Amino acid sequence: SRAETVSLAKRRLEVSEIPPAMAELLWGKAQGNPFYVEEIAYALRDTGKVLIRGGKCELAPGVDLGSLQFPDNVQGVVTSRIDRLAPAEQLALKVASVIGRTFASHLLRDICPIEEDKPLLDRHLDTLVTQNPTTPEAPEPEPAFSFRHVITQEVAYQMMPPTQRRALHRAVAEWYESRYRADLSPFFPLLAKHWSSTDEAARAI
């Protein structure tokens, strides 16, 4: 409902109130889709269209929400939010999307295709949690993260060219085969999934 839409936006932004114009935009665009509500609210925050001060959400000076152009579907909003991340953060999110809905940070680090990004990966993961596409799933000593929604994972995955996706699927499969070579049987379905996304169907079989 409209009231639940406003309540959800306030919880996600951790504020006690939002401007009436923002409530109208959220209801008009999302029409009750909770994930769409969240993504629009985050997009307004990330782009500085709304400001959070003292636990309240306010319109930025001179902003007319009625004149803003938003994508007509949630995938478009998610894409625009990913595009605003720094290149290294975008890459981390895209590589994670190949691993799966839940991903371990040590696996992500090991298959990261840019060596210079690996020492900064923890910082990038912190940013992704702060910006909300991901959420912590398991603590140290082997921290893991999850995509907050499968749509975010799918959008990040589709933003990569097919050749890059195939190379990353190969890297994931080879990582499991190396790490668990003493007994691969628990990972047969996972290995089949990743090898079938490369150009080596025989390995999948």
Side-chain angles (χ1 to χ4, degrees):
S1 69
R2 183 186 294 265
E4 290 168 331
T5 293
V6 172
S7 178
L8 176 60
K10 290 192 294 186
R11 288 201 306 273
R12 290 295 178 260
L13 297 178
E14 299 180 351
V15 296
S16 60
E17 60 183 65
I18 63 173
M22 181 178 175
E24 191 65 29
L25 173 67
L26 292 172
W27 175 249
K29 276 289 183 185
Q31 291 293 303
N33 181 318
F35 184 56
Y36 205 174
V37 171
E38 294 176 1
E39 289 300 302
I40 294 175
Y42 291 142
L44 291 172
R45 177 200 64 186
D46 296 347
T47 57
K49 299 297 189 296
V50 298
L51 306 175
I52 298 175
R53 296 170 175 164
K56 295 182 180 180
C57 184
E58 307 170 352
L59 291 181
V63 170
D64 175 15
L65 294 184
S67 64
L68 296 181
Q69 298 296 316
F70 271 90
D72 291 327
N73 56 61
V74 68
Q75 289 85 353
V77 178
V78 172
T79 299
S80 68
R81 294 195 64 222
I82 293 175
D83 281 339
R84 284 193 293 273
L85 294 170
E89 295 159 359
Q90 289 188 38
L91 179 62
L93 194 68
K94 292 173 182 177
V95 174
S97 74
V98 174
I99 298 172
R101 177 78 183 271
T102 299
F103 55 94
S105 62
H106 60 279
L107 169 53
L108 180 62
R109 182 177 290 104
D110 287 348
I111 69 167
C112 180
I114 299 181
E115 199 66 31
E116 293 80 4
D117 284 351
K118 293 183 178 183
L120 302 175
L121 187 60
D122 288 340
R123 185 188 305 175
H124 300 330
L125 289 171
D126 287 342
T127 299
L128 294 177
V129 170
T130 302
Q131 294 297 312
N132 307 108
T134 64
T135 184
E137 185 72 22
E140 297 283 358
E142 293 191 354
F145 300 81
S146 292
F147 284 87
R148 289 181 62 88
H149 199 288
V150 68
I151 290 177
T152 305
Q153 180 193 355
E154 292 172 350
V155 169
Y157 185 84
Q158 294 298 329
M159 291 176 76
M160 291 183 289
T163 53
Q164 185 179 20
R165 295 199 298 260
R166 288 195 294 270
L168 288 170
H169 278 293
R170 171 191 289 274
V172 174
E174 290 177 342
W175 185 91
Y176 275 98
E177 289 185 347
S178 174
R179 187 178 180 91
Y180 300 102
R181 56 182 175 272
D183 181 13
L184 288 175
S185 57
F187 305 100
F188 284 164
L190 185 64
L191 288 168
K193 173 183 178 295
H194 284 292
W195 280 120
S196 65
S197 297
T198 70
D199 52 4
E200 295 193 44
R203 297 290 291 272
I205 293 170

